[in-house]
Amino acid sequence: MAKGRPIPLEVRLLMARPLTKRRPDGTLYVRPPTVEKQVDLALTLAPNTLLERAYVEDGSKPEYLSCECLVHLIREANRRKDEDLRNKLLTPLLIRCERILLMKLPDGSRPSAAELRDEILGQFGELIALDGSNEDQLALDYYECRFNHAFRTLRLDLLRSERQYSKGRIELPSNGEEDAGSLDDKSMACLSRALSTPATQEESLFKQELSEAIDALPTNERRAVALHFLHGYEVESVDPRRATVATICGVSGRTIRNRLARACATLAEVFQEEP
Amino acid sequence: MTKTSKDNLMPLRDILYAFSLEERQLNADLLDEYVCRFKEYAVPLTDFAIELAIDRLHDSCVKPLEVIESSCKVSPAVSRAISRFHNRLHQLSQPGPNATERTVQLTTSLPINPFATLDRESFRSLARAMGVTPVFLSKLRDRLIEPATIPLAFICRLADLIHTSVDSLKTHFAASSQTGLQFYKSDHKPEAAIRQSFSDAVRTSGLTEDERRNLLNL
């Protein structure tokens, strides 16, 4: 199409609608080009073909429709009041979401795994129902951009809420913490190295066990490890304006070192099992 | 990133989405930037960033999901999600007094069912501590009691025992009641289970005379 010429209506109708959600800096979210292209093609397909392709889960197959694309198609069907197509496309999308959740939150990974999965799936279903209503906050725009990241946000936010609720029932207050002894520099260095370098194929299982062990730490130790080793915050600082693990957790540097020492002692077991 | 007046209106969940979809490296500098900009959400943002970091660490060393072609069979969990989708659609189609009352948990990120993590023994202990039967407590858990009829003193006592806020409990009681397993195909519009008043629940839950009197006098 020549530059500057208006796009014919019949072509515009078959193109994906632009997203309207904005980043905090004011710029619009946009779909990746591959998603944009897939959506434009999918909009030209007959409903039966769309439904067949929606159930293809192998991403390497040419007929595969990404989750971003499925979200757009569901929203588009909703806008056109095509409830039948909308409802039929929703099912394969939720099936894929459940599969993700069964991998991320398998039974036994935590006491409320099944309830959490239910709640996440349910909230996602409700988000889709709200789309286009007066209460719609355009959240599905995120899912058209990077579905996995957006769905992860929903999952982790609910997990965060559940941890917060559990924390008050289980954990001792911080001023009751005992001195865990001096922080072992060697253990800290080992842990730092393990967490900062990409895993080789041989190390993959070890790192998986390490990440699961970190996840299973008591909340205070888990926070200290994540803030220091994964986010890169210093334990404490002489600069009062600087955010550190200690200031974020609202405790002294000594308390943080105690927590890290206890965490390192627990995680040392994983290192000892490393082949 | 300078703060604008629109930032004051951004719900927490939107900020979390924005943080998660950032193309920049997720490190202390980025978290500091967001916390500085959205100070009122400093704690949940930091908590979320921690969850995200550990999740990404796990992803970096786990094999990608194996592709298993779907059998197209709808599991009970998917069926329940579809029910919630239709329930919400139905709610939206009804004339209501206050649109914001309908969006209970989606934008405020409050804790989910506060009873969900109680195992069987803890649930029974809680019932004893509250001076009620497990049957009565189940009705509260499953949102089968009309929230407006539950005495505030009862809610405060319960909130204290399960270490949650009164607001969280009120939100839980006010949400749609649990309808149990429900598969997609239905001949009727989905409806919430019928709720009873607090006093009716007291009378029909196997409580002793003393227990009933104590609760009805609240």
Side-chain angles (χ1 to χ4, degrees), chain A residues 115-131:
Chain A
E115 286 88 351
L116 270 168
R117 291 198 304 265
D118 254 15
E119 186 63 24
I120 295 164
L121 270 181
Q123 284 208 17
F124 183 59
E126 293 190 23
L127 259 184
I128 297 177
L130 284 172
D131 190 53

Side-chain angles (χ1 to χ4, degrees), chain A residues 52-239:
Chain A
E52 268 179 37
R53 292 179 64 165
Y55 280 95
V56 173
E57 297 201 22
D58 184 350
S60 66
K61 291 190 176 170
E63 58 268 32
Y64 173 77
L65 294 175
S66 65
C67 292
E68 289 86 350
C69 181
L70 280 183
V71 169
H72 181 86
L73 294 172
I74 289 168
R75 298 175 88 184
E76 192 57 32
N78 201 33
R79 284 187 201 107
R80 287 188 278 107
K81 310 263 187 258
D82 188 345
E83 293 180 3
D84 185 55
L85 182 60
R86 177 199 67 196
N87 295 344
K88 285 178 176 169
L89 286 173
L90 179 62
T91 302
L93 181 61
L94 287 175
I95 289 173
R96 291 188 195 183
C97 291
E98 189 193 24
R99 201 157 59 86
I100 293 171
L101 292 175
L102 283 168
M103 189 190 78
K104 291 290 191 177
L105 277 174
D107 288 334
S109 60
R110 48 194 312 116
S112 55
E115 286 88 351
L116 270 168
R117 291 198 304 265
D118 254 15
E119 186 63 24
I120 295 164
L121 270 181
Q123 284 208 17
F124 183 59
E126 293 190 23
L127 259 184
I128 297 177
L130 284 172
D131 190 53
S133 71
N134 290 338
E135 294 147 48
D136 180 21
Q137 304 209 335
L138 303 175
L140 290 182
D141 275 13
Y142 300 116
Y143 290 82
E144 287 201 50
C145 273
R146 298 182 82 176
F147 183 91
N148 286 342
H149 282 63
F151 192 61
R152 178 183 62 188
T153 303
L154 181 61
R155 170 172 58 87
L156 294 182
D157 189 30
L158 288 171
L159 208 63
R160 176 192 67 79
S161 297
E162 197 244 8
R163 277 190 203 277
Q164 191 178 357
Y165 162 66
S166 301
K167 182 184 170 184
R169 298 173 58 230
I170 296 166
E171 302 240 337
L172 291 171
S174 57
N175 57 8
E177 290 181 41
E178 292 176 8
D179 199 335
S182 61
L183 199 48
D184 180 353
D185 286 343
K186 191 178 169 189
S187 300
M188 292 274 284
C190 254
L191 188 54
S192 178
R193 200 167 41 245
L195 294 176
S196 59
T197 52
T200 62
Q201 205 165 358
E202 291 81 16
E203 292 168 342
S204 183
L205 183 59
F206 157 68
K207 278 198 93 168
Q208 188 182 335
E209 287 175 0
L210 183 61
S211 75
E212 286 168 2
I214 290 171
D215 202 29
L217 288 170
T219 303
N220 285 342
E221 293 172 28
R222 188 174 175 272
R223 278 174 75 86
V225 166
L227 288 170
H228 182 59
F229 289 108
L230 300 180
H231 286 282
Y233 283 100
E234 293 169 4
V235 170
E236 60 183 341
S237 173
V238 295
D239 182 353

Side-chain angles (χ1 to χ4, degrees), chain B residues 84-97:
Chain B
R84 275 180 73 164
F85 164 76
H86 285 287
N87 278 344
R88 184 54 70 113
L89 276 183
H90 179 61
Q91 264 185 337
L92 289 169
S93 69
Q94 301 300 303

